[in-house]
Amino acid sequence: MPSSNLQILIAACLGIAIGWLTGALPEQSSLREEVLYASGLLASIFVGLLKMVLIPLVFTSIAVGVANLQAHKQVHRVWLSTLVYFTLTTGIAMLIALIAANLVKPGAGLSIELFAAKMEGFEAAQLTLPEFFQHFFANLFQNPFAAFANNNILAVVVFAMFIGVALVAGGERYRNILQLLQEFLDMLLRIVSWIMRLAPLGILALLIKLVAEQDISLLSAVGGFIVLVFATTLFHGIVVLPGILFLTTGRSPLWLWRGAREAVITAFATSSSAATLPVSIRCAEENLKVDKRFAGFVLPLGATMNMDGTALYEAAAALFVANLVGIELSLAQQGVVFFTAMIASTGAPGIPSAGMVTMVMVLQAVGLPAEAVAILLPIDRLLDTVRTAVNVEGDIVGSVVVQRFSGDH
Ligand code: ASP
């Protein structure tokens, strides 16, 4: 029996192949319907199980992580290196996108009128930068039960941080609560390891559905843009992030791939950094031997705030839309794209197509039509795969790098 890590890789390849075959069956074929039904059911069970442990896991790992960091007086270094790492890697991702899009000019030669039918009647939810900030900060502090119930990860993170700091401030007095949380965290990771037994099947099902439901004719119209996004995102994931890891910690790309592939493939198949979080924590702690203090802090925060793939995509997509409309964005305007895409990716929750919602903000910031999102939506499920995989890889690399700079290893 191959290791679970290898099983997942085999399942991913099989899923793509079966999905492709299923997609080639005629629309009315009952076999096609049955395969799609079965894979839809299995996929939703797998993702549902991951989501089931997500919020308790985020809460306990942040609370325990912060409490232990505070106790070791490492908290400032961890904060600082996390922040520097998140900003730097997201910035590099967007620079790659902007440079590549300026060189290749995706969408030049096409006209936005070609897509008029798609945009007709489409109303993009408007989101200006001030509205975004208002929404972001209003959501940061919430009744924890509401945050738990609504899967509002950022608010759960904030509440858990307060608990973590209070646990240390109270010292001996709250020793039992800390111990309880530690045991609870341990127990949740045990449940995650059970869920991961289902991962090969879940990933197989997710990918069958994803590939079978792609509309190839639609993809070809914007093929150049898709290739550009894939190529630049992969460059970031295969060259830049492993390069940063190697330069800062001396760890090889192969070591990273072996340790992180379960999470990267799960992210690829689910398109959700949040749903992948239980797997990322497991990979970082068990395979890459990142201490709970760092993994438990950097990964949940990164799952919502550090999205290199999303930032890269939003920057590239803004330039693509500008080319469609026939507007040449000046350097200053590209600077605006850079900063809004950074904020947009930070604020996007780790769920499928979240980047599409915050994308509107980037388009509006430089006066591009928000309705152009209608052109991007149909291809988003496909692009979201690689972008989420790189988002998750960035978080995992971050946990190793932060551990290195926070003194321990
Ligand atoms: N699906 C992405 C994620 O979960 C977010 C996005 O849409 O870019 O990381």
Side-chain angles (χ1 to χ4, degrees), residues 271-274 303 307 310 348-356 380 384 387-388 391:
S271 285
S272 167
S273 311
M307 295 193 179
T310 303
I351 55 174
S353 290
M356 280 289 97
D380 196 54
D384 207 0
R387 138 173 132 225
T388 310
N391 287 347

